[in-house]
Amino acid sequence: MSLRRTPLYDRHAAAGARFVEFGGWEMPVHYGDGIQAEHDAVRQRVGLFDVSHMGEIEIRGSGAVAAVDRLIANDLQAAEDGQAVYTPLCTPAGGIVDDLLVYRLAADHVFICCNASNREKDFAWIRDHLEGATAVDRGEDFAMLALQGRHAPAVLQPLTDLDLSALGRFRAVHAAVAGVPALVSRTGYTGEDGFELYVPADRAGAVWDALFAADPALRPIGLGARDTLRLEMKMCLYGQDIDETTTPLEAGLGWATKLAAGDFIGRDALLAQKAAGIPRRLVAFRLDGKAIARHGYPVVDAEGQPIGQVTSGTRSPTLGVPIGLAYVPTGQHAVGAPIRIQVRNRVESGVVVKPPFVRPGA
Amino acid sequence: MSIPNDLRYTPDHEWARLEDDGTVTVGITHHAQDALGDVVYVELPEVGAALEAGAQFGVVESVKTVSDLFAPCAGEVVAVNAHLEDAPETINAEPYGAGWLLKLKPDDAGALAALMDADAYRAHCEAEAH
């Protein structure tokens, strides 16, 4: 199967992008100066990501909000129009089909952003389980740009009549950006202030170019830094930290799982797991040495026996030390608890830490 | 892409140079460091270790990936680049110079003739890109 390309592919190539396969897409991993420089640009200033590989699903109908609310773990009924809600989408057994950003645009209009690799699966799942509304896969229609970093408002404001100072975190509104109709969302996957812009795919280039024209120092940022930025915030990556074999309670997504706010698919299983005791927890850790614990490396006990697994790991570009996420047995997940990880032929020691690893905007 | 003519190359993107004193200096190529990105950690063997040709002797880690290192020829490790412990990014900046990995006393210096020369390595990289 050939890889998909976003409408901005040629611009990435011209900017010196190195491409990798991700979720069936050929995406920039970095633009030649490396992940560290791009990571620092976002933490210290601002950067622009092409995340057009992300999927979009639009749901309309008089009962759209109530219909979606029965599918997702978070509480869309409690949200206001114009609010974005992060949520797991669960199987009846409580596993995670995907993690989503769900926009309540109006009582009869919901817009969902999902992971690229799950787009077809999610759309089929939602279509098959949705009652009282109609779902449309809009993934081909939209490009998505993420402008992230403390200077993001200053870069974006001259391109829109929308008063960005009035747009709060996790709020979204339709507005023109550089003359192009967009859904402007104050969200992101970096922990920094910033915006995600959903624009018509065939006009993405105009918005991309206008942002670079508005700030000649703006840097394009690849998926490599997107991963290190999200990991420093302990934001989950689907397929790596969470999947259909993990529950939101195990993954530390209880804050996005409203068990007391009405029924949803998977709720009974999650209530049962909570009552029986959550067997394992996704923890944030840092290691004492320099070796990096990567996805799939075993967490071991004092005798060297496997008791868990690393799901994500890198060297934190901000802190300069190895960090990661791992599932460990409940009881060994407290902040300050020691953790041992088998890295090739050695056991590296570290400690469970309180997330996020980095305080953004600091 | 820099591929010096005076070095020999392995399919795993390492280079080897026979020095005047009969030792062989080993590193990773410009192409390899470019593909890895920012190198943040290097794991090297102890001085005195005996390596078989093609044996894994260490790893080089970048932010995005970890890659095994393989001995280009059989020999005894006579030096490792201790500078990399505190400054692994030297591999990105000077892969053929200060970013060298280790020096071997080869069992048979003639074994380097079996490795690729610069032209063959360039063709190898181009073939891999397709």
Side-chain angles (χ1 to χ4, degrees), chain A residues 54-96:
Chain A
M54 302 290 285
E56 292 86 12
I57 297 168
E58 196 158 28
I59 292 155
R60 290 183 186 270
S62 59
V65 166
V68 173
D69 195 55
R70 282 191 290 273
L71 303 188
I72 63 172
N74 210 328
D75 187 3
L76 197 61
Q77 306 256 32
E80 297 172 15
D81 290 351
Q83 192 172 344
V85 173
Y86 173 81
T87 183
L89 177 72
C90 287
T91 67
I96 303 174

Side-chain angles (χ1 to χ4, degrees), chain A residues 116-188:
Chain A
S117 55
N118 287 339
R119 186 177 128 204
E120 284 80 9
K121 178 181 81 165
D122 288 359
F123 178 66
W125 179 272
I126 290 169
R127 185 193 55 206
D128 291 348
H129 293 85
L130 197 68
E131 293 173 17
T134 305
V136 178
D137 181 353
R138 299 294 307 275
E140 299 298 323
D141 302 330
F142 286 102
M144 182 177 173
L145 309 184
L147 183 70
Q148 299 281 298
R150 68 188 66 171
H151 288 199
V155 175
L156 183 59
Q157 187 62 80
L159 300 181
T160 180
D161 291 335
L162 178 68
D163 178 8
L164 296 176
S165 67
L167 187 68
R169 287 283 291 165
F170 280 86
R171 299 284 162 164
V173 64
H174 284 105
V177 173
V180 175
L183 179 63
V184 180
S185 172
R186 197 154 201 160
T187 50

Side-chain angles (χ1 to χ4, degrees), chain A residues 18 29-30 33-37 228 290-292 294 297 313-315 317 343-346 348, chain B residues 34-41 43 56 59 61-66 68 84-88:
Chain A
R18 315 299 162 86
V29 63
H30 68 83
D33 291 340
I35 291 169
Q36 177 87 43
T228 54
K290 290 182 179 172
I292 297 170
R294 305 224 176 235
Y297 287 13
T314 191
R315 187 188 75 143
V343 177
R344 295 178 288 277
N345 56 356
R346 284 199 317 278
E348 296 283 338
Chain B
D34 186 61
L36 281 165
D38 303 308
V39 174
V40 296
Y41 176 68
E43 205 169 271
Q56 192 221 332
V59 298
E61 292 210 33
S62 66
V63 170
K64 67 182 178 196
T65 191
V66 55
D68 288 332
L84 298 178
E85 194 170 323
D86 293 320

Side-chain angles (χ1 to χ4, degrees), chain A residues 30-319:
Chain A
H30 68 83
Y31 292 83
D33 291 340
I35 291 169
Q36 177 87 43
E38 294 178 14
H39 181 105
D40 291 345
V42 175
R43 281 277 179 260
Q44 293 161 14
R45 206 175 163 280
V46 65
L48 184 62
F49 305 72
D50 175 15
V51 286
S52 299
H53 60 307
M54 302 290 285
E56 292 86 12
I57 297 168
E58 196 158 28
I59 292 155
R60 290 183 186 270
S62 59
V65 166
V68 173
D69 195 55
R70 282 191 290 273
L71 303 188
I72 63 172
N74 210 328
D75 187 3
L76 197 61
Q77 306 256 32
E80 297 172 15
D81 290 351
Q83 192 172 344
V85 173
Y86 173 81
T87 183
L89 177 72
C90 287
T91 67
I96 303 174
V97 177
D98 200 3
D99 62 332
L100 311 172
L101 203 53
V102 178
Y103 294 88
R104 177 180 169 142
L105 297 179
D108 61 354
H109 189 189
V110 174
F111 187 82
I112 295 175
C113 176
C114 69
N115 284 296
S117 55
N118 287 339
R119 186 177 128 204
E120 284 80 9
K121 178 181 81 165
D122 288 359
F123 178 66
W125 179 272
I126 290 169
R127 185 193 55 206
D128 291 348
H129 293 85
L130 197 68
E131 293 173 17
T134 305
V136 178
D137 181 353
R138 299 294 307 275
E140 299 298 323
D141 302 330
F142 286 102
M144 182 177 173
L145 309 184
L147 183 70
Q148 299 281 298
R150 68 188 66 171
H151 288 199
V155 175
L156 183 59
Q157 187 62 80
L159 300 181
T160 180
D161 291 335
L162 178 68
D163 178 8
L164 296 176
S165 67
L167 187 68
R169 287 283 291 165
F170 280 86
R171 299 284 162 164
V173 64
H174 284 105
V177 173
V180 175
L183 179 63
V184 180
S185 172
R186 197 154 201 160
T187 50
Y189 196 46
T190 64
E192 301 294 331
D193 191 9
F195 303 90
E196 293 177 304
L197 308 174
Y198 302 85
V199 298
D202 59 358
R203 300 183 72 179
V207 178
W208 180 267
D209 294 343
L211 287 163
F212 281 100
D215 177 11
L218 184 63
R219 295 184 70 124
I221 313 292
L223 291 188
R226 183 168 161 85
D227 189 52
T228 54
L229 288 159
R230 70 94 193 166
L231 186 47
E232 285 186 342
M233 302 310 299
K234 201 201 174 210
M235 292 172 170
C236 289
L237 175 60
Y238 193 89
Q240 202 160 305
D241 307 309
I242 52 176
D243 58 30
E244 292 191 13
T245 72
T246 64
T247 76
L249 304 179
E250 295 164 0
L253 299 176
W255 60 272
T257 303
K258 304 292 165 54
L259 294 171
D263 198 19
F264 61 88
I265 296 173
R267 177 170 175 260
D268 290 345
L270 294 174
L271 283 169
Q273 184 178 57
K274 195 175 179 187
I278 302 161
R280 58 177 180 164
R281 312 288 181 122
L282 187 66
V283 298
F285 67 84
R286 57 193 287 175
L287 294 180
D288 302 331
K290 290 182 179 172
I292 297 170
R294 305 224 176 235
H295 178 79
Y297 287 13
V299 179
V300 298
D301 64 15
E303 282 73 48
Q305 296 303 307
I307 56 170
Q309 205 168 54
V310 175
T311 59
S312 288
T314 191
R315 187 188 75 143
S316 161
T318 303
L319 303 174

